[in-house]
Amino acid sequence: MLEEITIFSDGSSLGNPGPGGFGVIMRWKDKEIKISEGFRKTTNNRMELLGPITALKKLKKPQNILITTDSRYVIDGIEKGWAKKWKQNNWMRDKKNKALNSDLWELLINQCDYHISVKFKWVKGHRGHAENEECDLLAKEAAMATNLKIDEMFELKELE
């Protein structure tokens, strides 16, 4: 049986929109890696999505995964089936409102479908959960870095 890979993730933006980043800790067997990236203009929800997507993309073959996050947006979007419903409805939440972050939801759905199982665990943010606190710090440090990337899909949508 495959061992479960544990992913801890958090996203942050300094202003919403504003500079943002995500922080991830991945653990399996006796290994641990930390990943963080910052973007010059984005939103908190985009960073909450991009953390798990980035971690899942690092895995070369299908795995059993547990993702721990403080984002109900991410968890509910997948576990309650909202994202797949939005996708079936051409990325509309209802008849009048577009689903936000469809580019990232598409990537997260694809990654979740690729792996054997992806389970989510919610933790209350900023309440002393060690890995969540560390991911939050990684995300904020990434958002304050000088070499911020461009969140192209977000900035392109702003121009529309």
Side-chain angles (χ1 to χ4, degrees), residues 36-48:
S36 62
E37 286 185 289
F39 295 83
R40 71 180 188 186
K41 190 171 187 183
T42 191
T43 66
N44 183 67
N45 280 342
R46 289 185 66 78
M47 295 298 96
E48 294 283 8

Side-chain angles (χ1 to χ4, degrees), residues 68-140:
T68 300
T69 178
D70 62 9
S71 175
R72 293 291 344 166
Y73 178 67
V74 171
I75 294 171
D76 291 347
I78 295 296
E79 289 193 340
K80 292 185 177 182
W82 298 344
K84 284 189 175 181
K85 181 181 171 200
W86 299 331
K87 182 178 178 178
Q88 289 170 348
N89 292 333
N90 202 25
W91 295 109
M92 296 294 288
R93 284 187 11 236
D94 53 42
K95 290 183 181 183
K96 293 181 182 177
N97 298 298
K98 286 184 178 181
L100 299 176
N101 307 313
S102 59
D103 59 319
L104 297 178
W105 281 115
E106 176 91 37
L107 292 171
L108 185 56
I109 289 167
N110 291 343
Q111 285 298 315
C112 288
D113 288 347
Y114 171 76
H115 289 285
I116 297 166
S117 75
V118 179
K119 295 180 280 182
F120 289 87
K121 178 181 176 184
W122 180 78
V123 294
K124 192 168 184 111
H126 312 288
R127 292 293 190 272
H129 184 280
E131 291 86 357
N132 180 256
E133 297 289 344
E134 187 171 358
C135 288
D136 181 61
L137 183 61
L138 288 168
K140 287 180 176 159

